[in-house]
Amino acid sequence: MHAGAQLDIADFLSTINQNIFLTTHSDVFLVQLAINSKKANKELKIYFLHNGKTKEIRVMENGDIEEIETISDALNKQAKELAS
């Protein structure tokens, strides 16, 4: 999904006053949810499931999220390919 559409959906979902369970592979979507939760002073929990293990991802004070290794690995691989 286009990044702009991901932001729009994250903005819309952030207006809902119920607990929501979502799954995604998008760091853009996660960061926007985190920013929106900080602005609205709402709690946001992000969990990462990889190789059968679950890890809670920390949401920073500014709305950014802790680095997710598998996303960083993929971006680093792309950067290396572009540089070669």
Side-chain angles (χ1 to χ4, degrees):
M1 183 181 296
H2 187 274
Q6 292 178 45
L7 297 177
D8 291 342
I9 290 172
D11 289 344
F12 170 74
L13 291 173
S14 296
T15 66
I16 296 173
N17 283 331
Q18 294 183 7
N19 290 333
I20 301 172
F21 179 84
L22 302 166
T23 62
T24 186
H25 290 95
S26 172
D27 54 335
V28 170
F29 183 73
L30 288 176
V31 169
Q32 190 63 35
L33 286 175
I35 291 169
N36 292 346
S37 71
K38 288 297 179 185
K39 285 181 181 177
N41 200 27
K42 292 183 178 179
E43 182 180 28
L44 174 68
K45 296 278 187 174
I46 299 173
Y47 296 94
F48 176 64
L49 176 63
H50 184 65
N51 291 333
K53 295 181 182 179
T54 304
K55 174 186 174 189
E56 184 172 355
I57 302 298
R58 198 173 91 224
V59 179
M60 313 295 184
E61 283 297 317
N62 66 356
D64 202 356
I65 62 171
E66 178 181 10
E67 181 178 327
I68 300 173
E69 294 85 6
T70 57
I71 293 172
S72 299
D73 292 347
L75 293 175
N76 288 334
K77 180 180 176 185
Q78 287 177 319
K80 285 179 186 176
E81 287 181 27
L82 286 172
S84 60

